[in-house]
């Protein structure tokens, strides 16, 4: 095992325990900040910026004014459309500390590898008994590749199984730095058409598809497809993804993830517009034809991941 820099720090916005759908066994998910994509259906919009962000719960606000006094930059005012002027806010958290009602919540915390490992050790018995481990998610963990690699090395040093949820969008250096320490890669392939991909995610997919080839050569890879009405919810679109997955090394399983609206309320908390608010969620039975199409290419198909 390579030496581990336990003092290296990164930005974490959540640690979620007892996950059953993000790798084998019972897992803890460490969510890292930063993502180069801006998918319209993103359920973690607070993860997209690398810096910490403040979420404002208007229903809990007492309008006491303490946050305005605490903010040295003058970013908070009742005259702002969404209370916080996010073009000024740096995410320092002073307003959050001053709020007596919990109406302001800071998403994003600087942690060292050692600090994260100490949190994860609380679940070590669960990993051992269930065959589980630790999954890095986001955001996009490749955006913090140095931190992600050191954290994964530290997890391997503890004997824990490792996994990563990734969009595949990162530099070649990030792939070579991070993926060798990952037991299972849960790799999003959202669409094969580059223009459709750009329209709904903010980026074309050339780099993603190129990286997918290298990722599949390094680590066990499961392809995941978020199935979104109006974007890729068609047998034809799913078939093209399955055709592409056949070119990747060792991919045996494709997960179809039905569109849901679990993260929609977060957009209001961030003062953002949710662009798919009129789109109805999908149910597993809606994907029966897509599942059959995937299986026709020889893959195991799991709905829901």
């Amino acid at each position: 095992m390579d030496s581990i820099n336990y003092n290296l720090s990164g930005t974490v916005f959540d640690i979620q325990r007892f996950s059953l759908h993000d790798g084998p066994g019972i897992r803890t998910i460490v969510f890292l900040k930063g993502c180069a994509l801006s998918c319209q259906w993103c359920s973690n919009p607070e993860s997209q910026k690398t810096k910490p962000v403040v979420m404002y719960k208007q229903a809990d606000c007492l309008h006491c004014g303490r946050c305005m006094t605490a903010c040295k930059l003058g970013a908070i005012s009742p005259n702002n459309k969404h209370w916080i002027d996010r073009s000024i806010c740096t995410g320092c958290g002073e307003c959050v500390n001053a709020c007596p009602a919990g109406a302001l919540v800071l998403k994003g915390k600087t942690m060292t590898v050692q600090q994260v490992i100490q949190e994860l050790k609380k679940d070590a018995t669960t990993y051992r008994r269930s065959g589980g481990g630790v999954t890095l998610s986001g955001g996009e963990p490749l955006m913090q590749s140095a931190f992600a690699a050191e954290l994964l090395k530290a997890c391997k040093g503890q004997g824990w199984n490792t996994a990563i949820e990734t969009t595949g969008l990162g530099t070649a250096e990030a792939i070579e730095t991070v993926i060798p320490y990952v037991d299972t890669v849960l790799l999003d392939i959202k669409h094969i058409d580059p223009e459709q991909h750009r329209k709904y995610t903010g980026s074309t997919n050339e780099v993603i598809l190129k990286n997918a080839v290298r990722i599949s050569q390094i680590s066990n890879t499961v392809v995941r497809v978020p199935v979104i009405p109006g974007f890729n919810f068609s047998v034809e679109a799913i078939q093209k993804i399955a055709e592409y997955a056949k070119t990747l090394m060792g991919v045996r399983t494709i997960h179809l993830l039905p569109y849901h609206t679990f993260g929609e309320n977060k957009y209001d908390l961030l003062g953002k517009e949710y662009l798919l608010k009129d789109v109805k969620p999908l149910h597993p039975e809606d994907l029966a034809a897509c599942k059959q199409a995937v299986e026709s290419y020889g893959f195991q198909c799991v709905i829901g991941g």
Side-chain angles (χ1 to χ4, degrees), residues 173-184:
E173 181 183 7
I175 301 297
E176 299 297 336
T177 299
V178 173
I179 303 303
Y181 301 104
V182 180
D183 294 312
T184 302

Side-chain angles (χ1 to χ4, degrees), residues 92-113:
C92 70
E94 291 300 321
C95 61
V96 175
N97 295 333
C99 179
L104 297 170
V105 178
L106 187 66
K107 284 294 184 177
K109 177 182 179 181
T110 300
M111 299 182 73
T112 65
V113 170

Side-chain angles (χ1 to χ4, degrees), residues 199-214:
K199 180 179 177 181
Y200 279 81
T201 73
S203 173
T204 59
N205 59 358
E206 286 92 342
V207 171
I208 291 170
L209 298 181
K210 180 180 178 180
N211 284 344
V213 174
R214 182 59 182 143

Side-chain angles (χ1 to χ4, degrees), residues 12-33:
V12 177
F13 75 91
D14 201 5
I15 296 178
Q16 177 182 307
R17 293 180 157 85
F18 301 107
S19 172
L20 299 173
H21 302 290
D22 302 283
I26 299 174
R27 311 188 69 80
T28 303
I29 309 178
V30 180
F31 292 88
L32 305 185
K33 287 275 283 175

Side-chain angles (χ1 to χ4, degrees), residues 188-234:
D188 271 15
I189 301 292
K190 300 176 176 68
H191 212 290
I192 298 303
D193 179 77
E195 188 54 33
Q196 183 77 342
H197 195 280
R198 184 202 61 77
K199 180 179 177 181
Y200 279 81
T201 73
S203 173
T204 59
N205 59 358
E206 286 92 342
V207 171
I208 291 170
L209 298 181
K210 180 180 178 180
N211 284 344
V213 174
R214 182 59 182 143
I215 288 170
S216 70
Q217 292 170 343
I218 301 174
S219 181
N220 174 48
T221 302
V222 174
V223 168
R224 281 186 158 184
V225 186
V227 183
I228 314 298
F231 172 61
N232 64 0
F233 179 35
S234 71

Side-chain angles (χ1 to χ4, degrees), residues 27-286:
R27 311 188 69 80
T28 303
I29 309 178
V30 180
F31 292 88
L32 305 185
K33 287 275 283 175
C35 185
L37 297 180
S38 52
C39 302
Q40 293 184 13
W41 58 88
C42 179
S43 58
N44 292 322
E46 73 275 27
S47 74
Q48 292 177 3
K49 292 185 177 179
T50 52
K51 71 177 184 179
V53 295
V54 177
M55 303 179 87
Y56 171 55
K57 301 179 182 178
Q58 183 178 7
D60 294 338
C61 182
L62 302 176
H63 300 282
C64 64
R66 294 183 188 180
C67 57
M68 287 184 279
T69 301
C71 180
K72 298 178 177 60
L73 299 176
I76 301 177
S77 168
N79 296 323
N80 294 330
K81 183 177 180 180
H82 297 285
W83 194 251
I84 302 170
D85 184 341
R86 297 179 186 278
S87 68
I88 299 174
C89 177
T90 62
C92 70
E94 291 300 321
C95 61
V96 175
N97 295 333
C99 179
L104 297 170
V105 178
L106 187 66
K107 284 294 184 177
K109 177 182 179 181
T110 300
M111 299 182 73
T112 65
V113 170
Q114 183 63 48
Q115 288 172 325
V116 177
I117 290 295
Q118 287 303 117
E119 278 296 307
L120 298 175
K121 281 183 177 180
K122 297 174 183 178
D123 300 324
T125 301
T126 301
Y127 308 152
R128 185 173 65 252
R129 290 178 177 174
S130 72
V134 177
T135 300
L136 300 191
S137 187
E140 172 48 68
L142 296 176
M143 291 280 287
Q144 297 189 55
S145 59
F147 178 69
E150 295 303 311
L151 182 53
L152 289 165
K153 281 194 285 184
C155 290
K156 300 297 288 181
Q158 295 291 327
W160 300 336
N161 179 276
T162 60
I164 186 173
E165 294 181 317
T166 178
T167 67
L169 184 55
T171 64
E173 181 183 7
I175 301 297
E176 299 297 336
T177 299
V178 173
I179 303 303
Y181 301 104
V182 180
D183 294 312
T184 302
V185 177
L186 303 170
L187 173 65
D188 271 15
I189 301 292
K190 300 176 176 68
H191 212 290
I192 298 303
D193 179 77
E195 188 54 33
Q196 183 77 342
H197 195 280
R198 184 202 61 77
K199 180 179 177 181
Y200 279 81
T201 73
S203 173
T204 59
N205 59 358
E206 286 92 342
V207 171
I208 291 170
L209 298 181
K210 180 180 178 180
N211 284 344
V213 174
R214 182 59 182 143
I215 288 170
S216 70
Q217 292 170 343
I218 301 174
S219 181
N220 174 48
T221 302
V222 174
V223 168
R224 281 186 158 184
V225 186
V227 183
I228 314 298
F231 172 61
N232 64 0
F233 179 35
S234 71
V235 170
E236 180 184 8
I238 300 303
Q239 280 179 329
K240 289 182 178 179
I241 292 173
E243 287 175 6
Y244 175 76
K246 290 293 286 187
T247 70
L248 303 177
M249 182 177 294
V251 174
R252 298 180 177 87
T253 304
I254 294 179
H255 293 173
L256 300 180
L257 310 179
Y259 169 70
H260 61 75
T261 57
F262 297 154
E264 181 176 354
N265 69 307
K266 294 181 180 180
Y267 288 77
D268 281 338
L269 303 182
L270 292 166
K272 300 176 70 173
E273 181 184 3
Y274 186 68
L275 298 177
L276 302 183
K277 57 180 176 291
D278 295 325
V279 177
K280 301 297 182 184
L282 294 175
H283 303 284
E285 57 269 24
D286 297 326

